[in-house]
Amino acid sequence: QALKGVVPGFENAKLRNFGMTIGTRDSRKIIGRYNLTSEDVRNEARFDDTIGIFPEFIDGYNILILPTTGRYFQVPYGCTVPPRVKNLLVGGRCVAGDKTSHCAMRNMMACTVTGQGAGVAAAVSLKEAVSTHDVDVKLVQKELLRQGVRIH
């Protein structure tokens, strides 16, 4: 509105693609039961509590690794679990990890992995009448596999 009122030629201007223009790529993350590391996302990490996989794809902080090799890392349930808050799970770009792992986990497809994993864990915890901290990860994995999720 300020530009429309003062700068000649802006009278009929419209704002488009503002979010993409700002380019906010890094954001807040939780501290999790497990915090993903650069080492994890670069070296095909494996976890007993895996809720899905994601290709080795890192874009940020002067690192560019494209998903062309077939390499992948497992996404641990622990990165969605804040250790001090019961029955709260976090999916998406704010899962626990360092800044390099965030370059992989902020990707929309990685967000779907943590979102589906957290959703299934929440449903299993309700069905089993336990907190999300105490949910049996094997039951979560069984349901994810039933849904067609690749966890290994």
Side-chain angles (χ1 to χ4, degrees):
Q1 295 300 330
L3 292 175
K4 284 183 175 189
V6 220
V7 178
F10 272 84
E11 297 84 9
N12 297 315
K14 293 182 182 175
L15 187 60
R16 293 178 45 169
N17 295 332
F18 187 70
M20 294 184 317
T21 305
I22 291 176
T24 303
R25 300 188 82 192
D26 207 339
S27 62
R28 294 179 185 204
K29 300 170 275 299
I30 65 165
I31 295 171
R33 180 185 291 172
Y34 182 82
N35 296 294
L36 279 169
T37 67
S38 174
E39 189 76 17
D40 294 334
V41 300
R42 290 176 180 229
N43 294 301
E44 297 189 289
R46 301 293 184 254
F47 299 95
D48 291 337
D49 66 342
T50 176
I51 55 172
I53 64 169
F54 193 69
E56 184 182 60
F57 178 28
I58 304 170
D59 178 17
Y61 299 108
N62 296 317
I63 304 167
L64 180 59
I65 300 173
L66 298 175
T68 58
T69 63
R71 291 169 47 97
Y72 65 89
F73 62 94
Q74 293 177 347
V75 178
Y77 176 63
C79 75
T80 70
V81 182
R84 295 193 311 224
V85 183
K86 295 264 184 188
N87 291 318
L88 175 66
L89 296 173
V90 176
R93 65 190 276 165
C94 50
V95 297
D98 66 16
K99 69 180 191 176
T100 303
S101 71
H102 184 67
C103 293
M105 296 305 294
R106 69 178 173 218
N107 180 293
M108 283 191 280
M109 291 309 297
C111 292
T112 66
V113 172
T114 57
Q116 186 172 6
V120 166
V124 170
S125 78
L126 288 172
K127 183 177 179 187
E128 299 296 316
V130 297
S131 77
T132 55
H133 277 223
D134 301 323
V135 71
D136 183 345
V137 174
K138 297 294 183 207
L139 293 176
V140 174
Q141 291 170 332
K142 181 179 177 184
E143 176 57 24
L144 287 167
L145 287 168
R146 190 192 70 74
Q147 293 179 12
V149 174
R150 186 172 166 202
I151 63 172
H152 297 105

